[in-house]
Amino acid sequence: LGIDKIEVGVGPKIRPRATSGWLREISPTYQLIDIERRKDGQIDSRYIDYQILFTFQDGTFIEYGLNTNVENPDEPFTINHERDIAIAPGRYEFDEQFVEVRTNQSAPLWLTGRYSTGEFYDGHKRTYLIGATARVGLHLNLSGTLTRNDIEVSNGAFTTDLLAARVNYNFSTTMFLNSLLQYNTDARQFSSNIRFNIIHRPLSDLFLVYNERR
């Protein structure tokens, strides 16, 4: 029983002088996560991520990435319980491409958008994400995102929207309130996570956490 896991990543940061007036940094990255099952020595999961990130002088960044995946489940698993859509055992190899844009995160209001498309097990998946974050005064941060997944596999298709809202309030440098609210339209499920954090001395935190799911 158990697994063997290898994780490797490298990402140089390049700051070309020729473009310093408008382009701050170029960051190509490579990441490998490889998981093998000890019981049979077979690959359980392999994920390879190639990305290149361009950061501009105004704080905006644009990122392009290619993810290659190998999944080798040894038993069926369900990806949508409402429609009883499951993935059969076997080895699957599929790739995904994405592009993401985010405006200056130090501004009072910043926006983000992401689009990805590619194979998904024996089918296809498209993902769309839009979001906004606002800093209200010195203590309050608000953010919201909408993520849509269009998924088609051999035994079914479905679309799901995930709406998420975050509220972070800093009473002081040692007292914080963080909350995450989410609603999944396909599962018709609402969940909330609210955490109150007090740092009563350096490196010592007291947490009060409330979770709810409907």
Side-chain angles (χ1 to χ4, degrees):
L1 297 176
I3 61 169
D4 291 317
K5 181 178 179 180
I6 297 174
E7 186 168 352
V8 178
V10 60
K13 297 184 183 297
I14 304 167
R15 295 197 170 189
R17 292 183 180 180
T19 60
S20 61
W22 58 279
L23 180 63
R24 181 186 305 166
E25 189 173 85
I26 302 173
S27 305
T29 62
Y30 168 85
Q31 182 183 25
L32 165 68
I33 301 175
D34 186 271
I35 300 174
E36 294 186 359
R37 298 190 292 258
R38 287 183 176 178
K39 64 181 180 180
D40 56 12
Q42 297 294 313
I43 290 176
D44 186 76
S45 177
R46 177 179 292 158
Y47 172 81
I48 302 177
D49 179 30
Y50 306 92
Q51 296 182 19
I52 185 164
L53 171 66
F54 299 92
T55 304
F56 299 91
Q57 290 294 358
D58 66 353
T60 299
F61 80 68
I62 299 176
E63 183 177 17
Y64 169 78
L66 171 65
N67 303 325
T68 67
N69 299 269
V70 177
E71 296 291 342
N72 188 25
D74 57 358
E75 58 184 43
F77 70 95
T78 301
I79 61 171
N80 189 297
H81 292 276
E82 292 289 323
R83 293 172 172 77
D84 195 26
I85 298 175
I87 301 296
R91 182 185 174 102
Y92 301 88
E93 299 184 17
F94 51 95
D95 298 336
E96 177 190 47
Q97 300 183 69
F98 74 88
V99 61
E100 182 173 348
V101 179
R102 182 176 296 169
T103 61
N104 182 10
Q105 296 182 66
S106 64
L109 174 67
W110 55 273
L111 308 174
T112 184
R114 178 185 172 105
Y115 172 73
S116 64
T117 183
E119 301 160 315
F120 185 71
Y121 291 95
D122 58 359
H124 193 272
K125 182 177 76 168
R126 297 179 185 87
T127 301
Y128 314 83
L129 180 147
I130 56 172
T133 300
R135 188 172 63 250
V136 184
L138 298 176
H139 302 281
L140 179 63
N141 287 339
L142 304 172
S143 67
T145 58
L146 170 61
T147 306
R148 165 165 289 190
N149 285 293
D150 290 330
I151 296 174
E152 301 175 13
V153 290
S154 60
N155 61 346
F158 62 95
T159 298
T160 180
D161 293 327
L162 179 65
L163 294 90
R166 292 182 181 272
V167 180
N168 299 323
Y169 191 85
N170 304 322
F171 296 94
S172 67
T173 57
T174 59
M175 188 182 302
F176 317 95
L177 181 66
N178 310 111
S179 63
L180 170 63
L181 310 175
Q182 290 184 317
Y183 181 71
N184 185 306
T185 59
D186 184 68
R188 293 177 294 181
Q189 183 179 91
F190 171 81
S191 62
S192 62
N193 172 268
I194 301 173
R195 185 180 69 172
F196 182 66
N197 178 18
I198 297 176
I199 304 175
H200 58 91
R201 64 178 181 225
L203 303 179
S204 296
D205 294 70
L206 175 65
F207 296 98
L208 180 62
V209 181
Y210 174 79
N211 292 309
E212 182 178 2
R213 179 177 296 178
R214 298 188 181 186

